[in-house]
Structure formats: C-alpha cells, structure tokens
Amino acid sequence: MRAVLFAALLVACKGDEPKPAPAAKPVAQVVHEEVAAGDVRLYSGTIADLDGDGTLELAAGGFTATADRRRATVFVYRQSGDEWKPLTDGGWLGGGGGNGSTVRNVEVADLDGDGTPEVIALGRVGSKTQEASARLVVLALRDGKLRELAKAEWNVATYTHGFGLAIGDIDGDKRPEIATTGFLFDGTTEHGFVRTWSFEKSALVMRAETKLAGTADASVRINDVAIGDLDGDGRAEIVTAGRVGPFRPDGTNGDLDARRERGDLAIFDAATLQMRARKEWIEGSSLRLRTVAIANLDGEGVPEIVAGGQFDGDGKPCLAVFALRDREITMRAHAAGEGRGEIKDVLVSGARIIATGPSGVKPARQGDVSTWRFEHDQLVREQELVSTNAAIETRARAAVLAPDGHVLTIGHAKSSTAMIGQMLSWPIAGR
C-alpha cells in the first residue's frame, strides 16, 4: 500500500545556549511508503523536472522486502501544490530474495544534452550482501514510467558494493560525467574503489578506475563522494569520505567501541584518478565518515570540504570542514556532538550547512536536522530540530532542499510490525 500523508509530528528545538522552551513546530510527513507484510527502506533522493513538463518530481532510492523477495527500487513522486503524489517506481530484483539488493544513491543530471534530465541510481544486486555485485543504472521518466536506458554491473572480488555517487564535469567538456564509489572484499580485506563513467550513445562507458587500500591489513570503505575544483586551477577533483580500520569477520563491525576505525578522506584528480592527497582522522576511540560535500563556505578563494559522520564508542555525531592546501588536506574546523546519534548526510545552501541523521539511541532514535555557519574557522550551530514521535523510531538518512524552502529528509521509520519508507518536511528558520 502506498500513501502520502501530512500527519503532524512534534519537533524539539535545540541550541547552544539555554533558551525558553519554544512552541512546538509541525514537521509534515509528506511520504509514507509501505508494503503488505514487508519492509520499505529509503536512503537517498533528489528533486527535478524529470520529463520537461514544468512540474517537479522527487526520486528516492531504497528497497522493498517481503518474505519471498527483495527489490531495489527508485520511487518517483510528482509535486502537486504542497503534496508529493506517488507516480511510478522502477528497479531490480535481488535474485531469490535475501538481503543483497538495494539502491543506495540517486542523482539527476542531463547526461545526453537533450534538455531533459536522467535519473542515475547506484547500489548493489544479489541474493546475499556477501555475494552482491555493484550496479549503476541510468533511467528516464517517459509517459509516467521509468525506462532503463543503460546499465553496468560489476563484481571484481567476493562482493562489490556501490556506495557513493556524484555527477560533475570531470574533463572540462561542459558535459556531466558520473563518479561511483564503494567497497569490495577480496576474501581477506575490504578495499575502497572509485570509478568514473560517461553516458555515450545510450551506454555507460567506464573512463577510469582506482582502488583505495588501507595500510598493512586495514580495510577501507568509501561511503560518499563529491566533485569540485578544490584548488582553483580550473580542473575538477574527486573527494571520497569513509573509514579505515581492521576488518572484523566475527560481526563486531557494529560494535562502536571495538571497531577502532579512523575517518578517511582522499582527493583524486578527476580525469585520471591519480591520488593527490589523503588524510585519516580520529576523534575519541573510533570514527567513521558517512558524507562529504564541496562548497565555498566563506566566499573567499577556493571551496572547502564538509564531512560528517560518527565518533567514539558511545556513537556521537561529528561535523568538520577541511581544505586542500599545498597538496595536503588540512582541518579548518570541527564540531563534536555531545549527544548520541550520527550525521548521515550534509548539503550546503549558500553559506549554510544542513546536516541530517538519527538522534538518540536504539530503539528510540528520531530524525535530526541541524544548520551550521562556518565563521572565522569555527563551526557555529544555528539550530537543531529533532522529531518527536513516540509511536515509531524515525531514521533520517538523506536531505534535499524542497522548492518551498523547507528541507526534506528521506529515510525510514520502524513501527512495531514493519519498516516504513518516510519523508519529512522540516521548517528551517531563516530560509
């Protein structure tokens, strides 16, 4: 069953200084996605006019799962006033059910220059997570349906997972190319990978690839990627964010205190994928980076790198700003959260950083949206909103700017019986 709702949730407001308790503000639940006797999870999304008719669509990626199958899916919703109404969806089956298939990233770009954007989806396909292949698909919205234009699938090890997608001009030809990242397992160690692609004559053509390894026997996972000119030379760089640390086949990868990981940033020449700089960062006992963005935050010189994730054994959110200087990645500012939670996604609007992710601890996590300014080499939190919904656990995974100036978070919520796909609209002050 699919439904679009506008149920009011309560929002608690946080600030850096004690303030009188504000009046509750409504967060509109704009999408509520579920299947009978199964789960729906959403991980990413974006907004664009996908068919050139002047009306915006919202594309969100994830999966649906029932007892006998799992389907990686891109859902498409059409804007109608303040609502987002279900239009269509498309994706791929996982092969015999299991937990191997999902769409992790969704982007939109006009890859072929025809004036109408395509939907680019990255994820994995397989009956098991440990046996999955990475998959990259280009889709188009035609006559209200998603049509597959091109597909690439690869597995160069025991498993290969697509995890991180960015679109940008990597060779200066004024046309967008695709960068995909993720990780693979060679039977002993996980390695990060970066691949770049062109969309040519309705086919995906790989341009370059490289592998990112850890020191000694450390494993590497790349979780996100961004494209931008970091040094002002007119050529694009690719930035990846992830984690490096020991691979733990006994299942303790989920134990925050035991994992002893370090946040990992790497910068590559976008055209050749030659590494230009790399930096590992740790805060507390362990740290992993989940998200990265490139933006000129101070309006001076060249852009900065914004990265977010989680640190320490208690699982606290962290946010940091870096810059590329003389072929080195230097940290300009960072903010380590005091509460429990994680930053899953960051986006930049003007000079404002918007971060989202889960807040609190299981099984009572809630969605969290915070805004930040970068001033005088410091990160200053403007506001923080936390959803309050006692009936279900809310997990915000990604953020996108809506045309009404609100922030939409894309994720899922855990009820007593199932996982439900969920998008919330947040009233961010000062927009």
Side-chain angles (χ1 to χ4, degrees):
M1 179 178 67
R2 304 181 64 179
V4 178
L5 306 178
F6 281 83
L9 304 177
L10 295 181
V11 175
C13 298
K14 295 182 180 179
D16 292 323
E17 300 294 336
K19 299 177 182 178
K25 296 181 180 180
V27 173
Q29 182 174 255
V30 296
V31 170
H32 174 101
E33 193 77 51
E34 62 180 295
V35 294
D39 293 332
V40 180
R41 301 197 186 204
L42 300 177
Y43 295 102
S44 60
T46 189
I47 295 173
D49 179 2
L50 296 179
D51 52 8
D53 66 353
T55 302
L56 292 174
E57 284 80 32
L58 189 157
F63 70 82
T64 63
T66 57
D68 59 347
R69 73 173 192 171
R70 179 160 161 171
R71 183 172 186 259
T73 308
V74 176
F75 295 97
V76 177
Y77 307 87
R78 177 160 286 165
Q79 187 183 23
S80 177
D82 292 333
E83 300 183 14
W84 294 96
K85 296 185 176 181
L87 180 63
T88 188
D89 65 271
W92 57 83
L93 292 175
N99 62 355
S101 291
T102 188
V103 173
R104 293 297 314 207
N105 304 96
V106 174
E107 295 288 349
V108 169
D110 183 5
L111 297 176
D112 54 13
D114 67 352
T116 303
E118 286 74 42
V119 178
I120 304 99
L122 176 72
R124 64 177 189 256
V125 58
S127 59
K128 297 180 180 179
T129 301
Q130 295 81 8
E131 298 176 3
S133 301
R135 180 176 284 189
L136 175 67
V137 178
V138 178
L139 304 159
L141 185 64
R142 301 286 187 267
D143 300 321
K145 301 292 184 182
L146 280 176
R147 312 293 183 187
E148 184 179 294
L149 303 182
K151 176 176 65 180
E153 185 178 319
W154 66 101
N155 186 9
V156 294
T158 304
Y159 57 73
T160 302
H161 292 180
F163 214 117
L165 175 67
I167 312 296
D169 181 5
I170 66 174
D171 56 8
D173 66 353
K174 310 301 181 183
R175 296 183 58 182
E177 284 82 36
I178 303 167
T180 59
T181 55
F183 51 92
L184 58 92
F185 181 59
D186 63 8
T188 303
T189 306
E190 288 180 330
H191 303 272
F193 71 81
V194 185
R195 287 188 172 198
T196 55
W197 309 78
S198 295
F199 182 63
E200 303 174 9
K201 298 179 180 180
S202 298
L204 282 164
V205 178
M206 191 176 69
R207 301 168 60 102
E209 64 176 328
T210 192
K211 189 164 66 173
L212 189 64
T215 56
D217 61 348
S219 285
V220 174
R221 287 192 174 192
I222 296 177
N223 292 325
D224 200 13
V225 60
I227 300 174
D229 182 4
L230 291 170
D231 54 11
D233 66 354
R235 300 175 59 185
E237 281 78 42
I238 290 175
V239 182
T240 64
R243 56 187 173 94
V244 57
F247 179 72
R248 299 182 182 276
D250 59 359
T252 57
N253 282 304
D255 185 338
L256 302 183
D257 195 47
R259 67 192 188 198
R260 294 296 187 267
E261 296 167 338
R262 300 175 299 282
D264 191 21
L265 283 176
I267 299 175
F268 304 85
D269 179 273
T272 65
L273 293 186
Q274 180 179 357
M275 185 183 293
R276 297 191 56 193
R278 190 175 184 184
K279 182 180 182 65
E280 294 180 6
W281 168 42
I282 191 167
E283 184 88 16
S285 62
S286 187
L287 184 142
R288 61 173 58 175
L289 295 177
R290 289 291 196 183
T291 178
V292 67
I294 297 173
N296 193 331
L297 299 174
D298 55 14
E300 300 177 359
V302 294
E304 287 77 36
I305 302 167
V306 184
Q310 186 182 54
F311 77 100
D312 218 355
D314 291 336
K316 304 180 183 72
C318 65
L319 183 69
V321 175
F322 300 85
L324 178 63
R325 299 287 187 269
D326 299 323
R327 299 185 65 87
E328 291 188 4
I329 302 172
T330 61
M331 181 184 290
R332 295 190 59 184
H334 86 284
E338 297 179 355
R340 301 285 293 275
E342 186 172 11
I343 292 178
K344 293 286 192 180
D345 193 25
V346 294
L347 59 90
V348 180
S349 175
R352 170 182 272 181
I353 301 169
I354 302 170
T356 191
S359 177
V361 296
K362 297 178 182 179
R365 292 182 295 179
Q366 295 295 323
D368 187 298
V369 172
S370 58
T371 64
W372 302 77
R373 300 188 316 276
F374 177 61
E375 295 181 350
H376 309 296
D377 284 345
Q378 290 187 334
L379 279 166
V380 180
R381 184 172 59 186
E382 295 179 319
Q383 57 190 311
E384 183 176 10
L385 307 179
V386 181
S387 64
T388 304
N389 188 348
I392 56 177
E393 179 186 30
T394 298
R395 304 180 185 180
R397 301 300 299 257
V400 63
L401 288 175
D404 62 0
H406 285 197
V407 172
L408 292 184
T409 58
I410 299 164
H412 35 273
K414 185 178 182 181
S415 70
S416 60
T417 58
M419 199 70 72
I420 301 162
Q422 184 185 67
M423 297 186 206
L424 303 176
S425 178
W426 300 74
I428 299 298
R431 292 196 50 77

